[in-house]
Amino acid sequence: MTQYKDIFGSLKTISLPNGASYNVQQYQKKKNKLDDQMRILNLGFRKLCIISEKVEESTGPREAMFSSE
């Protein structure tokens, strides 16, 4: 475990390859924005799952749709 701490500690002191500086405030803003987008995406998938379940309930099982009768 201490090796990981040493590795990440040294990586924090190395400059970024694109020459950009590390700014905690910018990182926090980007992280918050990403968290919001992931929350919205997760909510969208939940809604889609609920809609899919409702459609499946009203139409019956999927196998009935693809039967070759």
Side-chain angles (χ1 to χ4, degrees):
M1 188 69 174
T2 58
Q3 287 179 337
Y4 293 118
K5 288 182 182 179
D6 292 339
I7 291 171
F8 285 112
S10 64
L11 287 175
K12 285 183 180 180
T13 61
I14 298 173
S15 63
L16 298 174
N18 62 358
S21 63
Y22 177 77
N23 188 345
V24 176
Q25 292 172 341
Q26 288 177 341
Y27 167 78
Q28 198 63 31
K29 281 183 181 179
K30 288 180 181 180
K31 184 181 179 305
N32 289 340
K33 185 175 180 180
L34 182 62
D35 287 342
D36 287 342
Q37 290 173 345
M38 291 301 293
R39 183 184 53 79
I40 291 169
L41 186 62
N42 190 12
L43 183 63
F45 275 113
R46 285 183 188 175
K47 287 180 181 179
L48 185 61
C49 185
I50 291 170
I51 291 170
S52 174
E53 289 173 357
K54 297 286 184 181
V55 168
E56 192 170 312
E57 286 176 6
S58 66
T59 59
R62 292 182 195 175
E63 292 81 19
M65 292 187 342
F66 298 111
S67 64
S68 59
E69 292 180 15

